């Protein structure tokens, strides 16, 4: 991924004008990027066995996703499945979960959303089960703003199109949500933004849980949170690439 993709170029010109000593990441296929996202988020707590799916809408309208059969920490580029707009598999012998209906409906309803991430994430899942919104206590939990909807009309798994459509309508234009007694959902305009939102949600949830166990603390003022949200709007420089390099060092076969 181009190190400038999804970033505010004028901000980079001001704060990071030097080109760097080497390329931050090799040229990657779109499928390799999705496989890397799965590996990266697995390390961040989005790791409930074989649960969860990421969809990435391409410029031509096709959608890339992870197969049903494989866990996020074992995926390679060649495992990623291409779907058409209606969810039909175009190029793989792997299967996709019926729960992808929510993703397809979100992509259809939200032209601004090219990435949808859902799993039963560890720390945000605790707050979803509590039916509570985790407060923000530090900078890393504030990168994507304070508002966090709780969709609390749990009606079973997301396999029925009527149920998922009601979730899409309830979410409106939200960037993420807690799904009560279920899990977590994050959307984004591109992989960089969706990655930042997913890791910020887990960090925020983990810190809030730890602060509660420690006896409580003082949440950050809304004005400070709003100022820090510049990272979500303009892109967080270099983080996606750093986390991708970590996975590539551990297992270069991701690109196969």
């Amino acid at each position: 991924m181009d190190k400038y993709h999804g970033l505010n170029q004028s901000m980079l010109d001001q704060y990071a004008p030097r080109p760097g000593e080497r390329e931050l990441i090799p040229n990657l296929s779109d499928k390799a990027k999705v496989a890397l996202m799965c590996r990266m988020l697995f390390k961040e707590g989005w790791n409930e066995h074989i649960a969860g799916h990421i969809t990435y809408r391409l410029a031509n309208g096709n959608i890339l996703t992870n197969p049903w059969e494989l866990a996020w920490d074992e995926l390679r580029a060649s495992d990623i499945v291409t779907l058409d707009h209606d969810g039909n598999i175009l190029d793989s012998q792997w299967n996709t979960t019926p729960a992808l209906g929510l993703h397809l409906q979100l992509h259809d309803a939200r032209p601004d959303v090219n990435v949808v991430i859902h799993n039963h994430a560890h720390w945000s899942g605790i707050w979803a089960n509590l039916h509570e919104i985790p407060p923000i206590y530090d900078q890393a939990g504030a990168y994507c703003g304070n508002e966090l909807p709780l969709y609390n009309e749990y009606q079973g798994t997301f396999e029925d199109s009527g149920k998922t459509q009601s979730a899409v309508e309830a979410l409106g234009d939200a960037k993420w949500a807690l799904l009560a007694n279920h899990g977590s959902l994050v959307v984004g305009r591109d992989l960089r933004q969706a990655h930042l939102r997913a890791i910020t949600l887990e960090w925020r949830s983990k810190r809030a849980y730890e602060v509660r166990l420690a006896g409580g603390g003082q949440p950050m003022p809304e004005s400070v949170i709003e100022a820090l949200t510049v990272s979500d709007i303009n892109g967080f420089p270099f983080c996606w690439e750093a986390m991708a390099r970590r996975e590539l060092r551990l297992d270069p076969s991701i690109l196969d």
Side-chain angles (χ1 to χ4, degrees):
M1 186 159 67
D2 181 345
K3 70 177 181 179
Y4 299 113
H5 180 79
L7 297 174
N8 182 307
Q9 185 66 55
S10 63
M11 289 184 66
L12 275 187
D13 291 342
Q14 180 179 359
Y15 296 112
R18 296 179 182 275
E21 295 291 340
R22 61 182 186 275
E23 289 296 320
L24 293 179
I25 202 166
N27 289 328
L28 299 170
S29 69
D30 288 322
K31 289 193 171 188
K33 295 172 189 175
V34 175
L36 275 164
M37 277 282 284
C38 290
R39 298 271 191 130
M40 291 150 62
L41 294 184
F42 184 91
K43 295 288 178 56
E44 300 282 351
W46 296 71
N47 56 8
E48 200 272 283
H49 304 99
I50 64 166
H53 14 278
I54 295 176
T55 52
Y56 176 36
R57 178 167 54 193
L58 304 175
N60 65 4
N62 288 340
I63 294 172
L64 301 182
T65 191
N66 54 296
W68 194 357
E69 296 94 331
L70 302 178
W72 284 19
D73 65 333
E74 61 179 328
L75 284 166
R76 300 179 182 184
S78 57
D79 295 317
I80 301 303
V81 180
T82 306
L83 309 175
D84 66 15
H85 175 269
D86 298 316
N88 298 306
I89 296 174
L90 300 179
D91 63 355
S92 179
Q93 293 302 311
W94 291 122
N95 296 283
T96 58
T97 168
L100 274 182
L102 174 65
H103 290 236
L104 298 176
Q105 288 171 313
L106 276 167
H107 284 299
D108 195 47
R110 300 270 303 269
D112 60 309
V113 167
N114 293 309
V115 182
V116 182
I117 305 170
H118 167 61
N119 207 323
H120 312 148
H122 183 102
W123 297 102
S124 53
I126 292 174
W127 292 93
N129 291 341
L130 289 169
H131 291 222
E132 294 184 39
I133 303 303
I136 296 175
Y137 289 105
D138 64 3
Q139 174 177 306
Y143 289 139
C144 302
N146 198 2
E147 184 177 1
L148 175 58
L150 173 68
Y151 179 69
N152 61 3
E153 298 178 14
Y154 190 82
Q155 301 178 35
T157 58
F158 279 158
E159 297 170 7
D160 180 272
S161 60
K163 295 174 184 175
T164 55
Q165 186 59 41
S166 67
V168 171
E169 293 170 0
L171 291 170
D173 62 356
K175 64 184 69 173
W176 51 17
L178 299 181
L179 308 177
N181 302 113
H182 187 164
S184 311
L185 180 75
V186 166
V187 302
R189 66 172 179 260
D190 52 36
L191 292 169
R192 186 188 303 280
Q193 185 181 67
H195 173 258
L196 178 65
R197 290 176 176 179
I199 64 176
T200 298
L201 179 58
E202 278 306 279
W203 183 278
R204 168 180 174 176
S205 299
K206 182 177 185 289
R207 277 289 183 263
Y209 187 72
E210 292 169 335
V211 169
R212 174 173 287 192
L213 290 180
Q218 182 65 44
M220 295 182 76
E222 185 62 39
S223 59
V224 176
I225 295 171
E226 184 176 351
L228 290 167
T229 307
V230 66
S231 298
D232 180 67
I233 299 168
N234 294 293
F236 196 103
F238 318 129
C239 181
W240 196 94
E241 290 83 356
M243 299 303 99
R245 289 196 305 273
R246 176 182 293 172
E247 296 306 316
L248 289 169
R249 287 194 299 270
L250 292 172
D251 184 5
S253 75
I254 297 172
L255 302 184
D256 294 346

